[in-house]
Amino acid sequence: MATLGPEEEAEKAQADFVKSAVRDVRYGPESLSEFTQWRVRMISEELVASSRTQVHEADSPEKPPEAGAAHKPRARLAALKRPDDVPLNLSPSKRACASPSAQVEGGPVAGSDGSQPALKLEPLHFLQCHSKNNSPQDLETQLWACAFEPAWEEGATSQTVATCGGEAVCVIDCQTGIVLHKYKAPGEEFFSVAWTALMVVTQAGHKKRWSVLAAAGLRGLVRLLHVRAGFCCGVIRAHKKAIATLCFSPAHETHLFTASYDKRIILWDIGMPNQDYEFQASQLLTLDTTSIPLRLCPVASCPDARLLAGCEGGCCCWDVRLDQPQKRRVCEVEFVFSEGSEASGRRVDGLAFVNEDVVASKGSGLGTICLWSWRQTWGGRGSQSTVAVVVLARLQWSPTELAYFSLSACPDKGIVLCGDEEGNVWLYDVSNILKQPPPLPAAPQAPTQILKWPQPWALGQAVTKTMVNTVVANASFTYLTALTDSNIVAIWGRL
């Protein structure tokens, strides 16, 4: 590549290299031939890309940052993303160790009732596994979503988490900090991941449990990943615009909701894979929204009947029952978070069920997370299309004006989690808060605990500040994973 002259010759040489590699590399069983050709093509294209990078570094000045980056659908404005005076440094290694003297855990916050001791958590691993071109200098890739693999047995818990950001999806063992699997799609930017567990029948007739990971983002495609085999076994061309989020239905393991910037939510049946691990997805429903949907949440008490969505314009609910004739539906009810028409139309960028009744939502008011009752709100709606939620409590959160910090819940433990613009993780023991005798104080309830950003050290310098876009814990709350705006996956373990 370095000896070639005109650009035309270089492009022809690249095309010839990829073509000959696909033609000449020998491979195994015919049932895997298409996958093998695809994998060989990916490897050869990566070799070409790496050789071009080396040539440009040797012969050309460094290119300026890509101008189009500012137009990525979910990226925050660069001016608000990170102050210039905040140093961000990370070593070339994929994992940075926390400073022994770093403050890693906040105690109970003043103002909480103190009846429950603080959870003991320690930072275990800091991973830089989503780097563009595997560059150790990449502190720009935004990480957006993570999800723990479903447990293999009833009552068990998982320590395997999937993370996404940039062009990569990683599967990580939280105990060891090892990246077990990594899937890359050049040209993609992943925004969301979701797991489901399928029971498939092998060629020998045996039943086998199989975890499938769905990943989607900028290109509007859903990729169904066979994680342990390390390849994509199905692609759904779901939307013409970027997919903001997706989730599987708790009631049907093959039913997948996708929410897009085209202002549509689509329910798919991905079906069961055939003997060649191929999926044939079919579209079941289309739900129209009036603004971009950001979070999806099947209603905990009736997941096969109602779907909640947090959108740029508010919180909406749809009827998703499949025994109804209409296959294209509009929002059934819009929820508002205080009396008066001025309360509608506000972004809801955080949404989760804490239990079968209590919903946690964020974005309707600065500096607060709202806890409200689904049962009381839905029961009192009558025939209204706009309904004020029945607020149970409000939780104190960061006063930042920045958006898209996703909250999550750990229903088995009654805990709500949310990151902030300082790198902190806010923890709320919701079950404990709701046990207080009524009426609850009108003022927002203080968090049960705040985990301070641990400031990992590398080469004598600390990553002192970052944004935590999302935080998720496994069902037993033994591991907690936080994703940042600066290409760092932070994992805490419970002592």
Side-chain angles (χ1 to χ4, degrees), residues 249-269:
S249 167
H252 304 279
E253 66 271 16
T254 63
H255 288 188
L256 175 68
F257 291 98
T258 60
S260 170
Y261 283 78
D262 63 11
K263 299 180 183 178
R264 290 188 181 93
I265 300 168
I266 297 179
L267 173 59
W268 304 87
D269 186 348

Side-chain angles (χ1 to χ4, degrees), residues 468-481:
V468 172
N469 289 328
T470 190
V471 190
V472 174
N474 63 350
S476 61
F477 208 82
T478 50
Y479 294 102
L480 182 152
T481 301

Side-chain angles (χ1 to χ4, degrees), residues 82 85-93 96-97 126 128 136-139 453 455-466 486 488:
R82 187 179 297 122
D85 60 346
V86 177
L88 281 171
N89 300 284
L90 203 68
S91 76
S93 65
C97 296
F126 296 90
Q128 192 188 4
Q137 306 305 318
D138 180 4
L139 289 168
W453 176 243
Q455 300 188 16
W457 282 79
L459 298 179
Q461 293 179 321
V463 181
T464 59
K465 192 176 179 182
T466 188
S486 52
I488 298 174

